[in-house]
Amino acid sequence: MTAATDHSTAARALAAAGDSESARDVAALDGAARGVERKLKPARSGLVERLLYGPAPSTAELQAGAALARRIAGSEAAVVDAALGSLARGEAFTADARLSAALRRTVAAEKAFGYTVPAAFGGAGASYGELAAVEEALAGNGLGPLAVEISGQLTIGAGSLLAYGDERQQRIFLPLVAEGRPTAFGLTEVGVGVNAKKVQAYVEQQADGDYRLFAEGPANKLWITNAVHGGLIGIVARLGRQSQQLGLFIVELPAADVALDAVHDYEFRCEPSRVAAFVANFNSRLHFRNFPIPKANRIPADGVEVLFYCLRMGRCMLAAMAAGYQRMLARDASHYARQRIGVGGPVIRHEVPRLNLGRILGGALQSRALAYLSLQQDADGVDLAGLRDLTKSAAAGAGVESMLACEHVLGGRAFHGGSRVNDARVNLHLFGVVEGEDDLILMGMVRDVTQRFVERYLSPLLGVIDAANTARDGGKLPPERRLLRIGPAAIVRHPARALPALLRLVVQPKLWLLGGWVAVNAVADLVRLPLRLLPAGAFARYRALPPLLRRHARYAERKLKMLRWTYLGLGLFYQLELTRAQIPLQRLGKCIEHLVSMLAVCHHAALGDETTREIAALQAQLLRDKYRALRLVSGLRAMQRTRRSVAAVGASLEADRCSLIADIEPQPFGHPWDERPG
Ligand SMILES: Cc1cc2nc3c(=O)[nH]c(=O)nc-3n(C[C@H](O)[C@H](O)[C@H](O)COP(=O)(O)OP(=O)(O)OC[C@H]3O[C@@H](n4cnc5c(N)ncnc54)[C@H](O)[C@@H]3O)c2cc1C
């Protein structure tokens, strides 16, 4: 199935709502995601979907991540000890605070850059779980930038070759990756960010079958981590200037920039991107004109599909790094609070700094619990849709909150130049944007975990509204005249279209299927209601947890199940408008994120010691407070008011008539995308 024909319910809903541009973009991205599903062929449906719609996962499944973390503990020692030795000798960073060649050589000798590459290709043959342990320990000990570099190298770098490269490409390039040749993945361009399918770089095929790559001006590849002269890169480019098809090419970058001259018929430039995050790493802007790529270097796959495939491990590694970073913040902040005398004695004695320290530790535990749970789920062949996105969003969000909490404990020294806490700040902030921006992926997560339910029970509604928006001549009504909801307001305003639509809906056999779902689930919930009077310890399911954590796990599971009603309520209320009602979807995503995190934290700590359980109990309570502050169906009127206000503010900004900022000139952006190729 091609991206163009692979229309998901979401894309059809967008088209029916009259948003054809989003429909096309979403259909294209969904096509790539479906390709990943076909490749991975998950043996079981996703954990988050099962937590909402059943069947409930077993306790063993929920604790499998903690068991993985325990099994692999210590496996990271060789790489991490070597790296820390280099740090202790003062040779890990150069004078301008970048990762040094000496550090890279030291860890390369321990096969760090080929950690998950099979031994047959010169790698260490470790699992992604073991890689996560390395990532966490490096980030936890002041070597976050090395963790970033190795993660990029092995998730989107080697990962793409291992999963999609042919036998020759693996044989030639994987040994280079394993020996430490920096390996990048280049999708983002000056003119294209999150809308990945829109990349403008393209190749032209020559008579001999080889390719020439053009990525000029706005099509320059931008912010490419690990991209450096002499390094390797997987480059995403269109297969022809006007083609809709995206290819992927493995390229060995020249050792220096190349200009057109008597010897060279192509141009290449690799310049620092000047980004002020990942500052210790290579991060570049790449220019290609007529750049030769042998035909054998085309990886036989869609470039965005490969990215999505690799991002699933990238997101787990990001969570492991976030766990490490937060453990480091907790270490340094608690060390300070124990020594520093504040108002009325050492800072550590006071409740608010203790809460801040608890938040940091809780964020670390949450990120770790989700990272290893996701990794074990993936290793067990469970569909990672839902959990991988939630894991990344929760870990990135916790990282930023922990940074703020750390600043409030450490005070001015949190900003001390050269301190590892100060150095962590931008990277932790960036974690919310790279590997998928948090809010976007949370909304995608909601779509993923509700997809089966929507297709089964709510899609008839889509067909009926679509029919109500069809003009007499068979064409579609213009977007401004479309009905997005069939409810009292629509019946009053457009009775001629809304009433017949309502009648058509009532006679839909699938509506009765939904009625059956409602009846069965309502009865099941009612039957279970009296069980709430029993303490959590009365159930074998919760006896697998320490007493301190049982009530939290039970609460999280109960509320997650209730969210299936919340989603139904939102679906029936918003109907087609849900395609553009991002605020409710994002809030629902956050609710799911908080509750799944609670559950993960409790089960992870079940295999931990007393201090870990105490952290888990605090974090579970803090997450519960956050969840309770988010009102969805019960706060629908307030949310609608918020949405109306957001629409008004957004419209004034869109029309550039907001008086509060009218007298301030906007600053020109870095990397403008309207420049001419040159
Ligand atoms: C330090 C660094 C390293 C990076 N490394 C790499 C790399 O190695 N390889 C690579 O290919 N890329 C890399 N990136 C790119 C990164 O993945 C992108 O920054 C990211 O995809 C976002 O693109 P953008 O910044 O152009 O944002 P834009 O695409 O301009 O989006 C701006 C904002 O609008 C939001 N938005 C857009 N559409 C919608 C919508 N429909 N609804 C709601 N919100 C929306 C986005 O979520 C985002 O927050 C890196 C970036 C940085 C800064």
Side-chain angles (χ1 to χ4, degrees):
M1 228 183 321
T2 66
T5 59
D6 200 359
H7 291 310
S8 61
T9 310
R12 281 190 288 122
L14 281 161
D19 189 349
S20 51
E21 191 181 354
S22 296
R24 266 195 310 276
D25 290 352
V26 167
L29 293 169
D30 281 352
R34 294 267 157 85
V36 176
E37 254 171 62
R38 284 192 290 273
K39 182 158 183 77
L40 286 168
K41 295 189 192 70
R44 298 184 68 185
S45 58
L47 182 82
V48 183
E49 183 183 338
R50 280 183 283 133
L51 285 166
L52 262 73
Y53 293 100
S58 69
T59 309
E61 184 176 354
L62 291 168
Q63 293 186 357
L68 166 68
R70 195 147 77 170
R71 257 192 333 271
I72 59 173
S75 61
E76 73 284 4
V79 172
V80 176
D81 289 352
L84 294 184
S86 180
L87 186 66
R89 290 191 297 278
E91 53 180 50
F93 292 94
T94 59
D96 57 351
R98 299 168 63 80
L99 292 176
S100 71
L103 174 69
R104 291 194 174 102
R105 268 195 309 277
T106 304
V107 294
E110 300 298 334
K111 301 197 172 182
F113 293 110
Y115 207 57
T116 49
V117 172
F121 299 112
S127 67
Y128 282 106
E130 288 166 324
L131 177 62
V134 171
E135 297 288 328
E136 187 183 338
L138 291 176
N141 287 283
L143 285 171
L146 182 61
V148 165
E149 183 160 308
I150 293 174
S151 172
Q153 175 97 358
L154 294 171
T155 57
I156 47 179
S160 55
L161 276 168
L162 276 168
Y164 289 89
D166 61 26
E167 186 278 324
R168 175 192 161 277
Q169 289 161 351
Q170 293 186 348
R171 182 167 37 80
I172 293 179
F173 294 106
L174 283 173
L176 299 178
V177 175
E179 76 188 27
R181 191 81 76 91
T183 308
F185 191 93
L187 181 133
T188 305
E189 295 176 357
V190 171
V192 179
V194 290
N195 202 358
K197 275 278 184 175
K198 287 276 171 73
V199 301
Q200 295 301 313
Y202 65 95
V203 290
E204 279 178 354
Q205 200 160 17
Q206 313 291 106
D208 59 2
D210 288 344
Y211 296 92
R212 293 287 174 142
L213 170 66
F214 297 83
E216 305 171 71
N220 278 178
K221 295 292 174 184
L222 183 62
W223 297 317
I224 307 304
T225 309
N226 287 358
V228 63
H229 289 114
L232 301 174
I233 184 170
I235 290 212
V236 181
R238 293 186 177 280
L239 298 175
R241 191 169 197 162
Q242 306 300 336
S243 169
Q244 292 298 309
Q245 255 189 305
L246 290 182
L248 178 66
F249 301 85
I250 176 77
V251 171
E252 205 168 346
L253 296 174
D257 285 356
V258 177
L260 277 173
D261 57 24
V263 184
H264 300 101
D265 65 351
Y266 65 92
E267 271 178 10
F268 165 71
R269 287 196 297 275
C270 173
E271 298 158 352
S273 65
R274 299 190 55 206
V275 68
F278 289 4
V279 285
N281 300 94
F282 300 121
N283 194 279
S284 306
R285 174 172 175 159
L286 303 170
H287 164 90
F288 301 89
R289 176 183 287 175
N290 204 33
F291 184 85
I293 303 179
K295 60 175 179 277
N297 287 21
R298 179 175 163 203
I299 294 179
D302 174 283
V304 176
E305 177 184 323
V306 178
L307 175 77
F308 285 178
Y309 177 92
C310 296
L311 278 183
R312 98 191 186 286
M313 283 300 106
R315 289 181 184 164
C316 295
M317 293 311 142
L318 185 144
M321 281 188 268
Y325 266 122
Q326 290 173 89
R327 285 172 55 215
M328 180 261 282
L329 298 181
R331 193 63 178 140
D332 289 355
S334 61
H335 183 58
Y336 181 81
R338 285 167 61 220
Q339 298 185 30
R340 185 75 172 170
I341 307 300
V343 182
V347 173
I348 191 75
R349 297 231 181 108
H350 302 287
E351 194 164 275
V352 168
R354 283 183 175 197
L355 173 60
N356 278 324
L357 290 167
R359 270 189 213 287
I360 310 174
L361 288 166
L365 188 65
Q366 178 183 348
S367 308
R368 173 191 265 193
L370 288 168
Y372 290 105
L373 179 60
S374 295
L375 286 161
Q376 189 57 49
Q377 290 270 301
D378 191 67
D380 291 340
V382 181
D383 189 351
L384 216 53
L387 190 62
R388 74 179 168 221
D389 307 328
L390 172 162
T391 292
K392 188 270 175 183
S393 161
V400 172
E401 284 181 24
S402 292
M403 190 73 228
L404 294 178
C406 180
E407 287 161 7
H408 287 274
V409 176
L410 262 179
R413 284 171 182 78
F415 302 87
H416 184 69
S419 73
R420 59 188 188 180
V421 167
N422 187 57
D423 288 346
R425 185 174 294 107
V426 267
N427 283 9
L428 282 172
H429 274 271
L430 186 70
F431 279 1
V433 171
V434 290
E435 310 256 354
E437 188 267 332
D438 285 353
D439 288 332
L440 270 187
I441 66 176
L442 264 195
M443 291 188 284
M445 181 269 285
V446 172
R447 269 179 43 200
D448 283 346
V449 302
T450 55
Q451 185 174 320
R452 230 183 292 261
F453 176 78
V454 169
E455 273 165 14
R456 195 129 190 238
Y457 300 107
L458 296 184
S459 56
L461 193 62
L462 179 69
V464 168
I465 302 183
D466 204 18
N469 288 323
T470 304
R472 290 223 172 97
D473 63 1
K476 290 284 166 220
L477 290 171
E480 65 281 2
R481 289 193 51 213
R482 293 199 184 188
L483 284 182
L484 297 185
R485 291 201 245 166
I486 302 175
I491 291 171
V492 172
R493 266 185 238 141
H494 309 280
R497 283 158 57 210
L499 272 174
L502 190 64
L503 282 177
R504 265 199 304 277
L505 193 63
V506 174
V507 298
Q508 282 271 333
K510 278 203 169 178
L511 188 79
W512 300 102
L513 202 61
L514 176 63
W517 182 92
V518 169
V520 168
N521 280 272
V523 169
D525 282 3
L526 276 176
V527 168
R528 273 196 293 261
L529 204 56
L531 298 179
R532 283 187 59 190
L533 295 170
L534 298 174
F539 302 90
R541 181 169 186 80
Y542 302 113
R543 280 200 298 277
L545 288 160
L548 197 61
L549 302 174
R550 287 175 189 162
R551 57 196 296 270
H552 292 302
R554 186 188 190 195
Y555 178 88
E557 286 193 342
R558 181 163 58 81
K559 290 295 179 184
L560 277 163
K561 272 194 234 145
M562 292 307 288
L563 286 182
R564 73 199 195 286
W565 293 113
T566 304
Y567 184 76
L568 176 63
L570 292 178
L572 295 179
F573 180 77
Y574 285 110
Q575 301 174 20
L576 261 196
E577 203 190 331
L578 204 54
T579 54
R580 62 178 71 149
Q582 292 191 334
I583 294 174
L585 283 181
Q586 192 271 351
R587 285 190 189 175
L588 177 60
K590 272 284 165 207
C591 287
I592 299 174
E593 178 189 305
H594 294 330
L595 294 170
V596 174
S597 296
M598 268 177 85
L599 199 58
V601 159
C602 292
H603 282 284
H604 197 87
L607 304 198
D609 69 357
E610 197 53 37
T611 63
T612 308
R613 293 171 184 192
E614 288 160 2
I615 296 168
L618 172 60
Q619 185 66 3
Q621 183 60 50
L622 294 175
L623 286 165
R624 190 167 169 159
D625 296 344
K626 281 188 189 173
Y627 164 75
R628 285 165 63 94
L630 284 166
R631 288 169 61 228
L632 283 161
V633 174
S634 63
L636 214 49
R637 282 160 67 99
M639 191 155 65
Q640 285 297 83
R641 275 199 299 274
T642 305
R643 291 189 62 230
R644 279 195 292 275
S645 297
V646 166
V649 173
S652 106
L653 286 170
E654 192 174 356
D656 201 11
R657 53 178 173 72
C658 176
S659 64
L660 199 61
I661 55 174
D663 57 343
I664 300 176
E665 270 302 301
Q667 189 180 33
F669 307 108
H671 306 287
W673 56 91
D674 49 5
E675 61 189 4
R676 297 180 64 77

